[in-house]
């Protein structure tokens, strides 16, 4: 339930694992797909990044 609230809050920073290494992305929540278990972020350059929910380490 707390992930749905992120959509309304605006800019977030996400620490997540991709291919075994820790990555960081800052941006706004673009989409939350609970069926596919992905979080989409749009960064400052308007690029859309898809992150698996299972790989997320921290969100703030």
């Amino acid at each position: 339930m707390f992930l749905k609230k992120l959509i309304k809050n605006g800019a977030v920073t996400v620490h997540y694992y991709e291919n075994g290494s820790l990555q960081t992305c800052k941006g706004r929540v673009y989409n939350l797909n609970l069926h596919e278990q992905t979080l989409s972020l749009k960064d400052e350059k308007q690029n859309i990044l898809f992150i698996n929910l299972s790989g997320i380490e921290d969100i703030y």
Side-chain angles (χ1 to χ4, degrees):
M1 291 299 185
F2 71 92
L3 290 174
K4 289 183 179 181
K5 292 181 182 179
L6 288 175
I7 295 172
K8 298 177 184 176
N9 287 345
V12 295
T13 301
V14 179
H15 295 282
Y16 63 98
Y17 284 99
E18 183 177 16
N19 298 327
S21 63
L22 188 63
Q23 305 287 326
T24 301
C25 181
K26 295 179 184 179
R28 294 189 174 272
V29 175
Y30 182 72
N31 189 19
L32 176 62
N33 188 333
L34 296 177
H35 181 69
E36 293 181 9
Q37 299 285 308
T38 59
L39 176 68
S40 304
L41 292 179
K42 187 181 279 190
D43 65 6
E44 300 89 26
K45 298 177 184 176
Q46 302 300 316
N47 297 325
I48 298 175
L49 177 69
F50 297 95
I51 302 171
N52 289 328
L53 294 179
S54 63
I56 295 176
E57 179 72 22
D58 193 18
I59 299 176
Y60 54 94

